[in-house]
Amino acid sequence: MTCDWKGILPAYSHLGALQQGLKVHGQVFKNSLYLDVFVGTCLIDMYGKCGRLDDAMFLFYEVSRKSSVRKSSVPWNSIISCHGIHGHGKKSVKLFREMLDEGVKPDHVTFVSLLSACSHSGLIDEGQWCFHVMREHYQIQPSLKHYGCMVDLFGRAGHLEMAYNFIKGMPVEPDASVWGALLAACRIHGNVDLGTSASKHLFEVDSENVGYYVLLSNIYANAGKWERVGKVRSLARDRGLKKTPGWSSIEVNNTVEVFYTGNQTHPKCEEIYTELRSLTGKMKILGYISDYSFVLQDVEEDEKEDILMSHSERLAMAFGIISTPPKSPIRIFKNLRVCGDCHNATKLISKITEREIIVRDSNRFHHFKDGVCSCGDYW
């Protein structure tokens, strides 16, 4: 029975199916299985990845108080990771110090969670300290995951040359995850030359991953280099690669609804787009100006606003607004990174609708409330 829960809960975590996860928790609680370190950790992870960080924290203390798991690093790793994806890097570091005070020995997973948390919060000094502690105090040799986290830490903060030099100084051959972290940073900060260099390495070590072609294409598109965009897309097509379509999901009335970018087939399609047009008008009164740099097609200006408005997270958001009580929170799960224009729009929509809007994208959580995002516009 235990094995069943350990397989089911991660699936609900991935989908953001909170209501289904709550039902499983109820059954697990009846059998006291939540005190099993692995089942308990799966529940912690489920709550954290479904946006219920307070519940994850409460359960963590319940599980970690049990004597038989008190010295296990497993629940600690989970709660550190959960705080990291919500952008609470300082809390992750604080939890790590508490872990050490409790006499729990960290492992290689602990430091992956820590370094990732520092990266999402821009904590460069803390991240470098964690990397040092891992090697010098615990004699844990960095894996490629740790190196990738460090490159992401430097690159996400805009220190692209520092990230590149870090790669060049690695004692092991960098893999796709390391070069991919650099390429993603170049996408964020618009560095065409370094992005091109990183992509050459990526196409050598992992030529079948369409995501790298998409990132490079996006870098060129943002720079207005449409000829290069065409070449990258042609190269991907010639290799039989297809771009992963963007989708967002939202759970309403115990049903998970999935929206794809540009979706016109939903039964409430007309109501959804009517709501989006109304919200866009109200956003413009508050000073919203569409950022067309996030439209990665070479089309006319009047088409670009429609493309932005039909991004999957906005469709899911509008559906949530028309399908749930006023001022109730909305939780959305997206398979790709949220774009900058949708991020700005969601901040304004949270203010207009007086709702908390929680978005989990491929990188992290964003909590929008009263026109502000928990990430501080750093993600």
Side-chain angles (χ1 to χ4, degrees):
M1 182 176 250
T2 298
C3 292
D4 291 337
W5 303 135
K6 287 190 286 187
I8 291 170
L9 285 167
Y12 290 151
S13 300
H14 177 71
L15 293 172
L18 177 62
Q19 295 306 314
Q20 299 302 319
L22 288 170
K23 290 178 181 178
V24 172
H25 187 184
Q27 295 180 50
V28 167
F29 184 80
K30 288 178 183 178
N31 296 286
S32 297
L33 287 173
Y34 72 99
L35 291 177
D36 174 276
V37 63
F38 294 104
V39 173
T41 299
C42 284
L43 282 168
I44 292 166
D45 187 66
M46 185 274 292
Y47 279 115
K49 289 182 177 176
C50 286
R52 298 275 287 266
L53 197 53
D54 288 344
D55 291 325
M57 198 69 183
F58 175 81
L59 190 58
F60 163 72
Y61 283 120
E62 284 290 301
V63 172
S64 62
R65 270 199 291 263
K66 192 183 179 199
S67 60
S68 63
V69 300
R70 180 158 281 172
K71 299 302 181 182
S72 172
S73 64
V74 175
W76 287 95
N77 294 345
S78 180
I79 199 67
I80 287 171
S81 176
C82 286
H83 279 85
I85 62 173
H86 282 269
H88 304 312
K90 290 186 177 180
K91 178 64 175 179
S92 291
V93 175
K94 183 179 178 182
L95 282 164
F96 174 63
R97 293 183 185 278
E98 287 181 21
M99 177 183 181
L100 300 184
D101 290 341
E102 289 286 329
V104 181
K105 186 178 180 180
D107 55 23
H108 70 284
V109 177
T110 309
F111 288 102
V112 170
S113 299
L114 264 177
L115 292 172
S116 179
C118 290
S119 176
H120 285 302
S121 298
L123 303 178
I124 294 179
D125 291 341
E126 290 87 342
Q128 289 178 302
W129 173 77
C130 291
F131 194 71
H132 171 78
V133 167
M134 177 182 70
R135 291 184 301 172
E136 301 301 324
H137 291 260
Y138 294 99
Q139 286 73 54
I140 297 174
Q141 291 302 311
S143 69
L144 286 166
K145 285 186 178 180
H146 298 112
Y147 286 120
C149 286
M150 290 300 292
V151 172
D152 191 59
L153 173 71
F154 295 134
R156 196 182 293 271
H159 301 299
L160 298 178
E161 288 299 326
M162 187 182 295
Y164 182 69
N165 290 333
F166 181 86
I167 293 174
K168 303 303 281 185
M170 284 172 50
V172 295
E173 191 69 24
D175 68 352
S177 67
V178 174
W179 287 115
L182 180 61
L183 181 63
C186 291
R187 163 70 177 88
I188 294 170
H189 298 288
N191 192 312
V192 175
D193 293 337
L194 199 52
T196 301
S197 176
S199 69
K200 288 178 181 177
H201 291 282
L202 282 165
F203 295 159
E204 290 175 2
V205 298
D206 191 6
S207 62
E208 299 301 306
N209 190 324
V210 69
Y212 302 137
Y213 297 84
V214 173
L215 279 173
L216 183 61
S217 173
N218 291 353
I219 291 171
Y220 289 149
N222 283 341
K225 299 182 180 295
W226 296 106
E227 185 177 344
R228 291 196 189 183
V229 170
K231 288 181 179 178
V232 174
R233 291 178 178 174
S234 294
L235 181 60
R237 281 195 300 270
D238 291 344
R239 293 181 175 176
L241 305 177
K242 293 183 179 180
K243 179 182 176 181
T244 303
W247 60 261
S248 297
S249 68
I250 181 171
E251 187 175 9
V252 175
N253 297 325
N254 294 328
T255 300
V256 177
E257 301 274 356
V258 179
F259 294 87
Y260 289 86
T261 296
N263 189 304
Q264 302 275 343
T265 61
H266 194 275
K268 291 191 175 182
C269 177
E270 188 173 334
E271 294 174 62
I272 289 169
Y273 278 96
T274 297
E275 180 66 24
L276 283 171
R277 284 189 287 271
S278 173
L279 288 169
T280 300
K282 293 174 182 177
M283 285 155 52
K284 287 181 178 179
I285 293 173
L286 295 177
Y288 168 74
I289 300 175
S290 301
D291 188 344
Y292 294 147
S293 69
F294 292 97
V295 178
L296 304 174
Q297 295 103 308
D298 191 12
V299 296
E300 297 298 325
E301 292 286 306
D302 56 349
E303 295 180 66
K304 293 182 178 181
E305 184 168 273
D306 290 338
I307 290 172
L308 289 171
M309 188 172 67
S310 66
H311 279 189
S312 65
E313 56 266 54
R314 294 203 206 184
L315 299 177
M317 202 182 313
F319 175 75
I321 290 169
I322 65 176
S323 305
T324 58
K327 299 186 180 181
S328 60
I330 293 175
R331 290 182 172 84
I332 295 169
F333 301 85
K334 181 177 172 62
N335 69 324
L336 303 176
R337 185 176 185 269
V338 66
C339 86
D341 187 74
C342 286
H343 192 270
N344 290 333
T346 307
K347 286 193 293 185
L348 292 172
I349 291 171
S350 73
K351 184 173 185 176
I352 292 165
T353 61
E354 299 181 24
R355 292 178 183 250
E356 181 180 11
I357 302 172
I358 303 160
V359 179
R360 189 187 84 189
D361 69 7
S362 60
N363 283 332
R364 56 163 298 153
F365 270 91
H366 301 264
H367 295 255
F368 300 91
K369 192 173 183 180
D370 298 326
V372 177
C373 180
S374 61
C375 75
D377 297 336
Y378 181 91
W379 81 99

